[in-house]
Amino acid sequence: MTRAQAGQSAAGEQEGRTPAGTEAARAEDGTPAGSDTALPGKGTAKARSGLWRNHDFLKLWSGETVAATGAQVTQLALPLLVLGPLGASAAEVGAVSAMQFLPALCVTPFAGLVIDLFDRRTVLLLANLVRAAALALVPVLYLTDTLSVPALCAIAFVMGAGTSVFDVAYLSYLPALVPQRDLVDANSKLQGSYSVAQIGGSGAGGLLIKALGAWPALLVNVGAYLAAFVATLLIRHREPPRDRSSAGRPRLTDLLTGFKLLWRDRTLRVLSMRAGWFNMCEQAVLTLFLVYAVKELGMDAGGVGFVLACSSVASLAGAFVARRAGLRFGFPGVLILASSASSLAPLLLVPTDPGSAWNFPLATLTFAVLGFGLTIYNVHVVALRQAVIPSEVLGRVTASYRMLTYGTLPVGAFLGGLLGERLGLWRSILLFALASVVGWLLFVPAARKLPAPEATPTK
């Protein structure tokens, strides 16, 4: 999901029967995948995390914290660059955002094949270099007076392609660094650091853009991607050599493998459908809000950055309570409660109106509630996928999942910008807020029937 995008954009091998019915290797600490400590919503007080002694995980974690901090600057700078110096419309803002997420549809499936064939650490290194190089073009084009909306669309697409490859490799690589019993804790820490990055990045980004302008602020993210490259380069762990024979090499026909495994397992099928609908609605609301806040509510870059930073404080709180919430409410229960917060939150924007004193508090509350619920939801869903999908197909299944769920992001960005021009910004926000509620109402009865992770049927 986004924020996780979004979220944010977040991700020992397993042993035991999986939804695909295959066998996978044992975790580094010997914990089987079927044990309670390996699954979201389960655990014991005796299963203490060893993540603070896992130096390779700490390198990956620190590098991603730096990269995520820089990415928050870009999240503000690109739309404001389109709205400000280029004087673009809401539809053009939507087009730039859509191009950034379009690779989820056309690049992600092939990324799964590459990641299951090549060393995942090497893929991570190349993806960071590609993102840094693409983003560095923006200041160059601006200074040479050749920057345009089509150029930004092309750069956004290349960055999105690098991110699509990176995210699949990242989620597939994490179980190789972290024992299964620590997966929920690892994902909580990654979600937490992402929230911290949003707090610092959004606030500092708003101030940087206000003081220096949009394009100089982008250089911060270029440096962040390079720092993440260095941190990943220092990781000492090496995965076992992959089977290079024709029998063990992924083929184009294997593109269907991930989709088959997702469809065969009811839990993953329900979660992918839910995520796809939510992401479309949330991206449309976010695209519309950035334009709505600047053009009608009178917020500047600092104000928008503050709203997103407050949202990240709530996301950080969600990361801290995610594991405890899973233990308290169980897997289906925590998903229902967390999704209710993230899905209903956009309705809080409905009472906003140009000139109202409540605009700023309502916008802040909206994204705080959304971020809190979404982070808890993401921690448990990501940990579930990492625990039940066998390593040999983890890249392909993760790519298929992200194609189905992230593939709706460009649709949401495009529709948000287009309807914002046709229906008006406020009416369009209301439309997608109601659509988010409808998706949640359909998800709740299906979520109640989801089995506990250890009871997921095998095939």
Side-chain angles (χ1 to χ4, degrees), residues 343-364:
S343 297
L344 302 180
L347 288 175
L348 296 172
L349 288 174
V350 173
T352 58
D353 183 66
S356 172
W358 290 99
N359 290 336
F360 195 80
L362 283 174
T364 303

Side-chain angles (χ1 to χ4, degrees), residues 102-155:
L102 184 60
L105 283 173
C106 55
V107 174
T108 297
F110 298 98
L113 293 179
V114 171
I115 289 159
D116 283 340
L117 181 60
F118 297 102
D119 178 70
R120 290 162 184 167
R121 174 177 167 274
T122 302
V123 174
L124 291 174
L125 292 170
L126 292 176
N128 273 325
L129 287 180
V130 168
R131 293 192 291 182
L135 193 58
L137 285 176
V138 176
V140 174
L141 294 177
Y142 184 88
L143 292 174
T144 57
D145 201 25
T146 55
L147 186 64
S148 63
V149 172
L152 279 179
C153 285
I155 291 172

